[in-house]
Amino acid sequence: MSFQRYDYDVISNWIEPGERILDLGCGDGSLLRYLQDRRQVRGYGVEKSPEGVLACARNGVNVIQIDLEQGLAGFDDGFFDHVIMSLSLQAMRNTQGILKEMLRVGHEAVVSFPNFAYWRHRQAILNGRMPVSKNLPYQWYDTPNVRFFTIADFEALCEQEGIAIHERLAFDEDKVIVEEPNFLASVALYRLGRNGSAGG
């Protein structure tokens, strides 16, 4: 990845130096490499694609090849301080299952995703086309995304599943959106915990 994604800074600020991290759907390992360099975390990436696994190895990142749809059965309860899924949740079929697994093996989960209710996406649909943007870069016929959901949808799911939202940041590009994020934000990042767990 040749550019620095602004969400890396947000995620880094939510993590203490030296933590144990699991990065799900880690791609080429760029985020984990960034966290190793900036926060000296001890971590593993999980990636399904052989190309991603090779890229992680080149990036100096420990990586395990797993299909996340099968869960995280190989990991002990509470082993990690944070389990991260950055801009990959929309590609998961078993959304509830993976969120539950993230909070089983980690003390907290960090999730980011593109907001399908972003105003530019709504405009595209009003114009009769599926949205294509920086955060939803694929055409309808070749997208890996299988879930198209909004900030409001995600928060309703967290309430339904008993997932505590410790913190949320919403962005349009690199600008923080405070007012009407479900309409004005293109991406949202969440710090999640089990209900009843204290936020840091």
Side-chain angles (χ1 to χ4, degrees):
M1 184 172 296
S2 58
F3 65 94
Q4 180 53 62
R5 276 184 11 198
Y6 61 85
D7 56 325
Y8 285 18
D9 288 330
V10 173
I11 293 169
S12 176
N13 288 336
W14 285 344
I15 287 170
E16 296 297 323
E19 283 192 357
R20 286 189 303 244
I21 301 295
L22 186 65
D23 183 12
L24 304 179
C26 66
D28 64 4
S30 294
L31 173 59
L32 203 48
R33 177 79 258 170
Y34 181 79
L35 294 175
Q36 286 173 352
D37 293 342
R38 184 157 175 190
R39 291 295 200 200
Q40 295 75 52
V41 302
R42 296 166 291 155
Y44 291 91
V46 172
E47 177 57 36
K48 182 179 178 182
S49 78
E51 300 80 17
V53 170
L54 283 172
C56 285
R58 290 191 202 101
N59 239 337
V61 168
N62 295 318
V63 63
I64 303 165
Q65 191 169 16
I66 295 176
D67 181 355
L68 290 174
E69 299 289 1
Q70 306 304 313
L72 301 172
F75 297 102
D76 292 338
D77 293 3
F79 183 77
F80 295 96
D81 297 298
H82 280 94
V83 181
I84 300 168
M85 181 170 274
S86 174
L87 297 177
S88 297
L89 188 63
Q90 71 279 3
M92 296 294 302
R93 294 187 183 280
N94 187 12
T95 308
Q96 292 152 287
I98 197 62
L99 288 170
K100 187 178 292 184
E101 281 287 83
M102 290 173 76
L103 289 169
R104 178 184 67 79
V105 304
H107 294 287
E108 283 192 342
V110 173
V111 173
S112 64
F113 55 84
N115 175 31
F116 197 64
Y118 178 48
W119 71 270
R120 290 185 188 276
H121 299 159
R122 298 188 196 201
Q123 186 65 53
I125 291 170
L126 282 173
N127 292 338
R129 301 293 298 272
M130 287 296 287
V132 177
S133 67
K134 182 177 177 182
N135 295 302
L136 287 173
Y138 301 96
Q139 295 290 339
W140 65 270
Y141 51 81
D142 68 357
T143 181
N145 299 327
V146 296
R147 303 282 181 237
F148 295 93
F149 56 96
T150 71
I151 288 172
D153 289 329
F154 183 75
E155 293 187 359
L157 178 65
C158 287
E159 184 175 359
Q160 173 189 309
E161 297 296 312
I163 295 170
I165 297 174
H166 294 324
E167 198 166 347
R168 179 193 74 197
L169 281 173
F171 291 87
D172 184 7
E173 300 297 329
D174 57 354
K175 178 185 174 189
V176 176
I177 301 296
V178 177
E179 301 293 330
E180 297 190 67
N182 199 51
F183 182 63
L184 297 175
S186 58
V187 171
L189 292 94
Y190 286 82
R191 194 166 61 87
L192 307 171
R194 306 176 193 96
N195 238 357
S197 62

